Amino acid sequence: MPQKKRILLVDDEATITRTLKLYLEGTGAYEVRAENRGSAALEAARAFKPDLILLDVAMPDMDGGDVAAQIRGDEALKDTPIVFLTALVKKQEVVATGGDIGGYPYIAKPLEPEKIIEVIERHTS
Amino acid sequence: MSPKGGDLRAFAANVPQLHVVPPRALAISAAALVVSVAGALLFPQGFAEYGFLAWLLPMIPAFLLCYYRGWTRLMTMLAAAMTLLALGYVVAALLGTTLPEWPSIAFVIAAYIGIALGAGWFREVRAAEGHRAAAERELHQTSLHLRKSHTDLQLAQWKLIEAERLEAVGKLAAGVAHEVKNPLMTLLTGVHYLKQHVPTTDEGVKTLLEDMHDAVKRADAVIMGLLDFSQPRQLALAPADLNAVIHRSAGMVKHEVTQARVALDLTLGPDLPRLDLDVFKLQQVLVNVLTNAAHATPPGGRITVRTYCRDSVTILEVDDTGSGIPEDALGKLFDPFFTTKPTGKGTGLGLAVARQIVEMHGASIDIGNRPEGGARVTIAFTALKERA
């Protein structure tokens, strides 16, 4: 059985991290660690060593951009793929920008979970 | 004097003079002619004796010359002279006397002095009339400018209010989008999880999960439509072929058209001018209009897209063979959140956004019912910069 991919899911919405963790782990292909505070994401990433980080953009204590900058500044984590989750854009914009903001790929909420898996696979394979 | 080239404006300015004064002068001279001819008929001897015609006849070509050259004041003087002269002779003839040569000459001189004074008075009156007419014209022009300024001001005010309103709606929409999309994400993931991990043979549960999935997608569509409607737009205009945009848009709605089992005909004018268009935004409009047409047309019906150019206006028409639009809905079609589609089938924002985009192109969009049945959407590119 192939090793499960490790996904760090950072979103201040606990319902999202809970259901998405349930869904992704339910596929049997992923091990998910959920974190609801941006400021705790770096420590969680250092401890969890994820294969990919799903990172919310708008969080109250520290936004996704700052979290991404911290992770990129960490020697051990700088190559870890980061995919933003955002509710602030439209699907047309995702298409227009090629699903990329500031050099990072992103997922516009709400997205069918199957599509989220496609994005994860694209950036971890 | 016929107008030549750029002199047309000067000629036009002279036209009132030629047409305001001559009728009066003509009337006076006609009266003079009638009186003198009548006098000549009644008292042929007296007229012949004092050479009336010798005075009168040269004045007629002089009068005509003045008329055609526009010398209206001189013409008026001549007309008055003819009248007085004729009257003098008629009065003398009626009194049964004949005027001796010298009083006749004195009379004519007096008549010309009187005419000169009268003409001076007439000139003053004319000048006053001219000033008044000029003042009236100026007032009229000022009034027109004022009216235009008022309209411009109203338009600017409307645009400002509209921009402020859209900015407010935009902020609200962005806030709502963030707050609503997160729970939608939870619901969508949850529904998918339940569908995959809680197997059920209960058709009711399956339907319930499908309905929940559809409800989430519908709410998402409304939020996206609201964001789309409220976001500030800037067009990326470039010269483009309208027909090519229509072909691409038709390709994008192929699925909808096939599903609705209707025919889509493109009758596109071959010689349309290239227009400054934001191709992607216009595609969005056409996809919306064509999708609406596909939804409104019963199976076996037909959608016709037509383009043509008339009086430098490029016109795009989309006809369908549906049941048309109810009269009470016609005025509301472009209102945000107004829809004639069944609940859940439309957000009511498509045409509101379409109108925004069309108007930003300086064009207009109109929807009406065709006399032969069905609806017609007309987009007229009137204000576009055309390029050969």
Side-chain angles (χ1 to χ4, degrees), chain B residues 78-91:
Chain B
L78 286 171
M82 285 192 289
T83 310
L84 288 172
L85 191 61
L87 282 173
Y89 279 105
V90 169
V91 169

Side-chain angles (χ1 to χ4, degrees), chain B residues 26-239:
Chain B
L26 277 170
I28 294 168
S29 60
L33 276 171
V34 168
V35 170
S36 54
V37 168
L41 289 173
L42 286 169
F43 313 103
Q45 198 178 345
F47 273 75
E49 189 179 337
Y50 289 99
F52 167 74
L53 290 176
W55 288 98
L56 181 65
L57 287 177
M59 289 189 184
I60 293 172
F63 177 82
L64 289 173
L65 177 71
C66 292
Y67 175 73
Y68 285 111
R69 296 307 299 261
W71 298 339
T72 52
R73 286 175 192 150
L74 188 57
M75 189 165 56
T76 309
M77 286 166 65
L78 286 171
M82 285 192 289
T83 310
L84 288 172
L85 191 61
L87 282 173
Y89 279 105
V90 169
V91 169
L94 283 173
L95 292 174
T97 61
T98 53
L99 295 173
E101 191 72 19
W102 66 266
S104 166
I105 293 168
F107 174 81
V108 171
I109 291 168
Y112 272 99
I113 291 169
I115 289 162
L117 292 172
W121 169 79
F122 182 73
R123 193 162 53 237
E124 281 174 21
V125 170
R126 287 290 303 156
E129 277 180 7
H131 288 148
R132 196 191 64 191
E136 274 178 3
R137 275 199 299 274
E138 202 173 326
L139 195 66
H140 181 64
Q141 283 298 321
T142 310
S143 167
L144 284 179
H145 287 149
L146 202 63
R147 209 172 299 167
K148 188 179 177 304
S149 300
H150 183 62
T151 309
D152 289 349
L153 199 65
Q154 272 185 326
L155 196 65
Q157 189 183 23
W158 181 83
K159 279 183 178 170
L160 198 65
I161 292 169
E162 188 67 9
E164 282 176 359
R165 192 179 67 82
L166 278 180
E167 193 186 341
V169 173
K171 282 180 185 167
L172 184 70
V176 169
H178 186 251
E179 293 309 310
V180 174
K181 282 183 168 212
N182 278 325
L184 289 182
M185 176 90 179
T186 301
L187 288 172
L188 194 62
T189 311
V191 167
H192 277 267
Y193 182 83
L194 289 175
K195 279 162 82 173
Q196 287 180 9
H197 296 279
V198 185
T200 177
T201 51
D202 188 333
E203 285 304 313
V205 173
K206 283 182 182 172
T207 307
L208 184 72
L209 287 171
E210 280 306 319
D211 286 349
M212 285 170 69
H213 180 266
D214 289 350
V216 170
K217 300 307 283 181
R218 187 174 138 201
D220 185 36
V222 171
I223 291 295
M224 284 202 296
L226 194 61
L227 276 176
D228 199 24
F229 175 67
S230 59
Q231 76 168 10
R233 271 173 230 289
Q234 278 195 324
L235 298 185
L237 295 174

